[in-house]
Amino acid sequence: MSTNFAEAPAGNAAKGAKIFKTKCSQCHVAEKGGGHKQGPNLGGLFGRHTGSADGYSYSKANKDKNIVWSEETLYEYLLNPKKYIPGTKMVFAGLKKEQDRADIIAYLKEATA
């Protein structure tokens, strides 16, 4: 199981939208300007530092991770969020399938821009 985005299969944004709806939308809004839910709004995600969306109360672990969200960092994070950021508030177990992670990233690249 690869954590390297360079080795990931090509993502399908339409399939990623379905995954987002079933696995992510209960806690996150993808579109810029949407409100926070249990998790932060993901608008403007790519290029943003961890723990930096205005108006959301992040865990210390998330703020201290201090990485910039990119296809590469998100691909690894989505495999196992609690392993990537120990102490995160995110209760999601992760997406084990490489294709699912590639698809959701393709969707998020469009939806969060």
Side-chain angles (χ1 to χ4, degrees):
M1 188 171 319
S2 177
T3 59
N4 186 347
F5 185 73
E7 298 171 4
N12 179 311
K15 288 181 180 177
K18 290 178 185 172
I19 296 167
F20 187 88
K21 185 175 181 184
T22 60
K23 305 247 184 209
C24 313
S25 66
Q26 54 272 44
C27 295
H28 293 283
V29 173
E31 295 76 25
K32 263 188 184 174
H36 298 302
K37 290 182 162 183
Q38 182 175 344
N41 173 287
L42 300 177
L45 176 67
F46 291 90
R48 187 168 78 198
H49 282 264
T50 52
S52 67
D54 286 339
Y56 185 77
S57 177
Y58 287 93
S59 65
K60 181 175 180 342
N62 200 294
K63 289 186 231 176
D64 290 349
K65 182 71 175 181
N66 197 32
I67 55 107
V68 174
W69 290 120
S70 66
E71 293 166 321
E72 293 78 16
T73 55
L74 200 55
Y75 189 73
E76 186 175 352
Y77 175 73
L78 288 172
L79 175 61
N80 187 338
K82 289 190 178 296
K83 182 178 178 186
Y84 192 75
I85 302 180
T88 184
K89 293 193 298 187
M90 188 155 136
V91 295
F92 183 60
L95 295 169
K96 304 308 177 214
K97 294 180 183 172
E98 293 175 4
Q99 187 66 60
D100 287 352
R101 285 183 281 143
D103 290 346
I104 198 134
I105 289 168
Y107 166 71
L108 289 172
K109 289 286 284 188
E110 294 178 3
T112 65

